[in-house]
Amino acid sequence: MVHPELLAPAGDLEKLVTALDFGADAVYAGGELFGLRAHAGNLSLPQLEQARELTAKRGRKLYLTLNAHLRPAELDALAEYLERLRPLELDAYIVSDPGVLAMVRELDPERPLHLSTQANTTNPAAVRFWQQAGVQRVNLARELTLEEIRAVRQACGVELEVFIHGAMCVAWSGRCLLSAALTGRSANRGTCAHPCRWGYALVEQSRPGQYFPVEEDGRGTYIMNSRDLCLIDHLPALIGAGVHSLKIEGRMKSRYYVAAVTRVYRAALDRYLDDPEGFTLDPLWRHELDMVSHRPYDTGFLFGGDGAVVHPEDSTYRRSHDFVGVVLEAGQAGRFLVQGRNRFFPGETLELIGPQMRQAAFVAGELHSEAGDPLAAGQPNARILMALPQDARPGDLLRRDGKGRE
């Protein structure tokens, strides 16, 4: 049986550390150039060096996204960037452009290469083509069913990676021109404006300003708005199909999202690996995933279907809880130093969450500054001394029931 890695997003160094703390075997991050999340935190070369040290110290892996499609004038810059990256000895580069792949093979031939989902790999012949070109792992197109994934595994020896959680696109494996056409921001170059999430109505040419909703209830239509992927119930099937890496989408997501989602999939994966025959789903896992910001969940195309991923009602996110703080360190007299992320007040019921599904509800008591002055509320970015549950540890997060606030 394959023991798959759990691969989590690292939009910046904070999120990278959180992903490692909450159970990721590997993380993927973008650098300052040639990734497909230009508005994520992304990592400078010094930060990548620090990230490499952090992951190596813990025996984890770090993959760098270089999966943009380049223009002719950018090739020299890529060559220079690859030379600067080479001393970092990252575990793999994630690529999709054959030209980028060829340049890495020329300038850094020993560097492992992973193929992005942007390459739209849908069949064993394509996998073998990329393997012959030097790719060691292929992230399969999200349009494949479970049976098609199994068929690819049986026909090929290369490692396979699939997305198990996060945002999806209505475009084929994310290769979309809608954003570039409407806003000039190209999804294939990391600057997608997500116009597939916008509300649309019809306008007749001779009646400018008169909007005719496609739906009859006056909301307009969101016929291009995708649901979010959630495969927590189907990890055994994916492992049985021979998947090597289970990938969580979300380099643009919050630190809380990375922590909450990673720890759930870590718990599920560990339970299955410990006892495949006796594996059962814990209802808490799905409950926890419902607490983070998400669109309605779906299994995508894993079991077939055509268009089931579209959520036409609206494009809003759902979440039940707000992220309000990060535990920085243990203080004196049972108090901890917390960095605020959203406002909270003494007397409010909060919940502490940590790795390995540790969690505990408590009522916030008195709040003080580091200098000992009383605080009326915890504020974003403030450093706060407060009492926490006994088993609190640095890196744990605090959340509050948001009563459905968007």
Side-chain angles (χ1 to χ4, degrees):
M1 181 181 66
V2 172
H3 283 224
E5 89 179 356
L6 182 60
L7 177 55
D12 56 32
L13 275 177
E14 273 192 349
K15 296 172 190 176
L16 182 145
V17 171
T18 296
L20 299 178
D21 286 346
F22 282 75
D25 298 307
V27 292
Y28 63 102
E32 295 175 308
L33 298 171
F34 309 125
L36 282 185
R37 288 292 183 270
H39 301 297
N42 294 323
L43 304 180
S44 65
L45 281 170
Q47 289 173 327
L48 279 171
E49 183 175 6
Q50 186 178 352
R52 169 71 284 181
E53 293 173 357
L54 289 168
T55 52
K57 184 176 181 179
R58 300 196 192 198
R60 316 289 178 83
K61 293 185 176 181
L62 173 61
Y63 310 139
L64 179 68
T65 60
L66 295 173
N67 54 344
H69 292 263
L70 271 59
R71 306 289 173 84
E74 295 174 312
L75 292 178
D76 288 344
L78 173 64
E80 179 184 351
Y81 193 46
L82 291 174
E83 291 293 348
R84 296 165 66 196
L85 288 169
R86 184 160 54 175
L88 301 183
E89 298 184 352
L90 304 179
D91 292 293
Y93 296 154
I94 302 172
V95 303
S96 59
D97 185 329
V100 175
L101 186 155
M103 189 167 288
V104 174
R105 296 289 293 156
E106 177 185 352
L107 299 178
D108 195 1
E110 301 303 316
R111 185 73 55 220
L113 288 168
H114 295 177
L115 192 69
S116 169
T117 191
Q118 291 289 115
N120 316 128
T121 309
T122 59
N123 61 75
V127 171
R128 287 191 291 268
F129 169 85
W130 290 112
Q131 186 176 15
Q132 291 167 3
V135 167
Q136 296 182 5
R137 176 187 293 180
V138 172
N139 185 305
L140 294 173
R142 302 184 209 195
E143 293 77 31
L144 293 187
T145 67
L146 180 64
E147 290 305 314
E148 289 169 333
I149 294 171
R150 183 177 290 113
V152 172
R153 167 75 285 140
Q154 292 172 350
C156 303
V158 70
E159 291 185 7
L160 300 182
E161 180 179 284
V162 299
F163 279 98
I164 56 170
H165 196 92
M168 296 187 288
C169 299
V170 294
W172 187 264
S173 293
R175 295 187 70 172
C176 179
L177 296 176
L178 187 62
S179 179
L182 294 181
T183 71
R185 292 170 50 182
S186 173
N188 301 312
R189 296 173 63 77
T191 57
C192 184
H194 306 289
C196 57
R197 316 295 191 199
W198 300 348
Y200 289 89
L202 293 175
V203 178
E204 198 277 323
Q205 186 174 9
S206 65
R207 297 175 174 83
Q210 295 186 33
Y211 299 97
F212 301 93
V214 177
E215 302 288 343
E216 293 182 355
D217 61 3
R219 292 178 299 100
T221 179
Y222 296 84
I223 57 174
M224 293 179 288
N225 179 55
S226 65
R227 295 172 178 263
D228 278 4
L229 185 67
C230 179
L231 299 182
I232 189 65
D233 296 347
H234 306 291
L235 295 189
L238 289 167
I239 297 169
V243 172
H244 291 81
S245 181
L246 304 169
K247 188 171 187 177
I248 299 168
E249 184 276 336
R251 283 196 289 134
M252 300 285 288
K253 300 289 189 179
S254 71
R255 186 176 183 178
Y256 169 61
Y257 179 96
V258 172
V261 174
T262 300
R263 77 180 192 136
V264 166
Y265 280 94
R266 178 78 268 160
L269 185 55
D270 286 347
R271 178 180 291 189
Y272 178 80
L273 294 176
D274 287 344
D275 184 11
E277 297 299 324
F279 177 80
T280 57
L281 291 165
D282 189 334
L284 175 64
W285 297 337
R286 183 58 181 262
H287 178 66
E288 285 290 310
L289 294 176
D290 284 338
M291 292 185 183
V292 301
S293 180
H294 67 284
R295 296 183 182 89
Y297 286 131
D298 198 278
T299 57
F301 294 94
L302 193 67
F303 301 104
D306 184 12
V309 300
V310 172
H311 176 63
E313 283 80 10
D314 59 63
S315 63
T316 57
Y317 285 94
R318 286 97 170 122
R319 72 168 184 264
S320 65
H321 284 64
D322 298 325
F323 172 33
V324 298
V326 181
V327 181
L328 297 179
E329 59 186 55
Q332 298 180 348
R335 296 189 299 177
F336 289 78
L337 182 63
V338 171
Q339 183 181 56
R341 288 303 176 94
N342 278 293
R343 180 181 294 185
F344 64 94
F345 298 91
E348 284 192 306
T349 297
L350 305 180
E351 189 172 19
L352 178 140
I353 68 167
Q356 300 177 330
M357 301 305 293
R358 282 189 300 106
Q359 53 198 79
F362 67 101
V363 176
E366 294 180 351
L367 309 178
H368 293 85
S369 70
E370 284 188 279
D373 300 321
L375 298 174
Q379 301 285 359
N381 298 317
R383 292 166 67 89
I384 305 155
L385 285 172
M386 61 185 297
L388 294 177
Q390 187 174 3
D391 64 346
R393 304 172 193 171
D396 290 350
L397 307 184
L398 305 181
R399 67 187 179 194
R400 174 188 56 208
D401 188 340
K403 296 181 173 58
R405 287 195 295 268
E406 297 296 341

